[in-house]
Amino acid sequence: MTFMQVANVKKVYTQRLGTKGTEALKDVNFSVDKGEFVAIMGESGSGKTTLLNILSTLDHATEGEVYLDGTPLSSIKDRSISRFRREQLGFVFQDFNLLDNFSLKDNILLPLVLARTNITEMEKRLTPLSETLGIAHLLDHYPYEVSGGQKQRAAVARALITKPKILLADEPTGALDSKSSQNLLEQFEAIHQSGQTILMVTHSAQAASYSSRVLFIRDGRVYHEIYRGDQTKSAYLEKITQALLVTSNRGESDES
Ligand SMILES: Nc1ncnc2c1ncn2[C@@H]1O[C@H](COP(=O)(O)OP(=O)(O)OP(=O)(O)O)[C@@H](O)[C@H]1O
Ligand SMILES: [Mg+2]
């Protein structure tokens, strides 16, 4: 069942008056089923963050539409948009975006505090989530007292505490060493297996191999996709790596 649909999305960044804008997305089309874990790959500047900003209602498409669970994002009124974002979407960024003066617990609970959730419900959600993510013993610590990997797991807990329809992540392992990256990706895999829909932008083929499908974007369009299906993770990784190689070789041979 199609859960998120991206239809003919185009994004032009206009700069100063009279200058030609940057066409970051030309015509992006894809859909995501409920419970899928989709990775988005593409070279630097290919429009991945632009796309994620549109999907997360932080920015508007110049043309086209995004539907989430049947709702066109453009139909959401400005005054309801932050509430929609807070309650329906979960975000994880490369640089964690935790508040330094809040303990991990308060960081994680913040979206529920803003939504005026009662304290019993908050605790009921916090306990299993922090246990799953392996940070239950760190809840009273501040971000500067924990490792990058632990910060990112707190950020994932914050993103999931509202039970979002979709978890959107932009290079979530970008600031982590390989061991913490692997640990975080295993968490994503477990979260996916529990039924959460995930969309993750990544440069890393290794990270993408944890997904159930990879979309490749180039020149403002989705030009290729690979499904994991029944493949082993290493066979899937091999396919992803091959696809990236073909792309970069294509670039070189075009120039010669
Ligand atoms: N706010 C902006 N104003 C003008 N142009 C922008 C803006 N944000 C991005 N761009 C341009 O749009 C294009 C796509 O940028 P985007 O940040 O989406 O790429 P990306 O795929 O996320 O790259 P990276 O892998 O380096 O994060 C680039 O050419 C970029 O220079
Ligand atoms: Mg980016």
Side-chain angles (χ1 to χ4, degrees):
M1 187 192 75
T2 294
F3 193 53
M4 175 176 257
Q5 194 193 348
V6 179
N8 306 107
V9 164
K10 180 173 173 176
K11 177 69 186 179
V12 181
Y13 288 110
T14 45
Q15 275 107 2
R16 273 157 283 117
L17 217 62
T19 58
K20 198 170 171 290
T22 307
E23 206 175 33
L25 300 175
K26 290 193 175 121
D27 187 15
V28 175
N29 293 280
F30 66 93
S31 52
V32 176
D33 286 348
K34 196 167 185 162
E36 257 195 300
F37 178 3
V38 175
I40 297 184
M41 300 195 79
E43 287 177 5
S44 183
S46 60
K48 303 181 298 298
T49 297
T50 301
L51 176 62
L52 219 57
N53 286 344
I54 293 170
L55 302 183
S56 58
T57 71
L58 294 168
D59 201 357
H60 294 287
T62 309
E63 282 175 30
E65 186 61 271
V66 178
Y67 302 87
L68 181 62
D69 203 9
T71 305
L73 296 186
S74 69
S75 74
I76 304 166
K77 304 267 187 306
D78 279 349
R79 62 187 152 78
S80 349
I81 204 104
S82 42
R83 182 169 172 187
F84 174 86
R85 203 181 291 144
R86 194 172 64 229
E87 294 177 4
Q88 314 275 340
L89 309 172
F91 305 100
V92 180
F93 305 91
Q94 179 168 344
D95 52 1
F96 324 126
N97 280 18
L98 295 174
L99 299 174
D100 292 335
N101 302 324
F102 279 44
S103 65
L104 295 193
K105 176 176 173 174
D106 290 342
N107 265 288
I108 297 167
L109 292 178
L110 188 61
L112 295 185
V113 173
L114 294 172
R116 297 170 196 273
T117 311
N118 72 61
I119 198 129
T120 323
E121 178 64 22
M122 287 202 225
E123 295 287 347
K124 206 173 116 192
R125 292 193 194 187
L126 179 66
T127 307
L129 196 53
S130 56
E131 277 167 9
T132 309
L133 288 161
I135 49 170
H137 61 300
L138 298 169
L139 291 176
D140 292 330
H141 285 59
Y142 287 83
Y144 56 83
E145 297 175 318
V146 303
S147 73
Q150 291 164 338
K151 274 198 270 257
Q152 195 60 305
R153 282 183 273 144
V156 173
R158 180 187 53 189
L160 293 175
I161 197 103
T162 57
K163 303 185 176 168
K165 288 193 164 143
I166 188 162
L167 178 68
L168 300 164
D170 195 355
E171 292 281 356
T173 60
L176 303 180
D177 62 38
S178 65
K179 190 158 178 286
S180 310
S181 294
Q182 196 190 334
N183 183 297
L184 188 83
L185 291 161
E186 281 164 6
Q187 301 291 355
F188 269 50
E189 201 170 40
I191 293 161
H192 166 227
Q193 274 159 10
S194 75
Q196 176 69 50
T197 311
I198 307 175
L199 199 76
M200 172 181 78
V201 163
T202 182
H203 272 113
S204 153
Q206 182 78 37
S209 73
Y210 285 79
S211 70
S212 48
R213 176 161 55 119
V214 189
L215 298 176
F216 295 87
I217 66 171
R218 182 178 62 207
D219 301 335
R221 292 186 172 85
V222 175
Y223 72 94
H224 190 45
E225 65 179 341
I226 301 177
Y227 280 87
R228 172 158 176 186
D230 299 331
Q231 297 175 86
T232 61
K233 188 174 279 140
S234 58
Y236 186 40
L237 173 60
E238 180 66 28
K239 284 236 177 76
I240 298 166
T241 311
Q242 286 289 336
L244 292 171
L245 267 175
V246 169
T247 312
S248 52
N249 289 342
R250 186 207 75 121
E252 281 162 26
S253 58
D254 277 2
E255 279 160 26
S256 60

